[in-house]
Amino acid sequence: AMRINRMDVSYTGSGMDMYYSIDKGSNWNFIKSLSASSSLTRQKLSFRTTCDWIRFRFRINEIGGNFQFNRANIFWQKAGRVGV
């Protein structure tokens, strides 16, 4: 099991919405909506969850928009066993 504390992302484009899933994509939890970016400046996203599995979704947040994804750094630490 792991405890996710934060994720830093770098991108350019019109903006994107960030989500995560801890049930293999059945349900998605909204993290944050990021606005347009013209540089690869690091955006810090603070959220916390404890899980065995995690998936991230990066979605365009406007019609006709686009983004170029560069990097995601995930900050986590080992946690105790997650009950099922």
Side-chain angles (χ1 to χ4, degrees):
M2 62 187 153
R3 182 174 297 115
I4 308 291
N5 297 311
R6 187 178 101 204
M7 180 169 55
D8 293 353
V9 297
S10 299
Y11 69 98
T12 59
S14 57
M16 61 182 169
D17 291 339
M18 309 291 297
Y19 299 86
Y20 72 90
S21 174
I22 57 174
D23 59 7
K24 299 182 181 177
S26 295
N27 297 290
W28 292 94
N29 301 294
F30 180 72
I31 301 172
K32 187 174 183 178
S33 183
L34 300 173
S35 60
S37 174
S38 59
S39 68
L40 294 174
T41 304
R42 183 176 54 184
Q43 301 283 329
K44 295 180 182 181
L45 308 172
S46 294
F47 66 100
R48 291 187 182 185
T49 188
T50 302
C51 55
D52 283 328
W53 300 87
I54 191 161
R55 291 181 183 188
F56 293 99
R57 177 182 280 178
F58 308 91
R59 296 185 73 178
I60 297 169
N61 63 10
E62 65 180 50
I63 295 173
N66 63 66
F67 66 86
Q68 295 178 14
F69 187 80
N70 179 268
R71 166 181 295 210
N73 293 330
I74 301 164
F75 294 83
W76 65 278
Q77 62 191 46
K78 194 172 184 178
R81 179 80 183 128
V82 176
V84 179

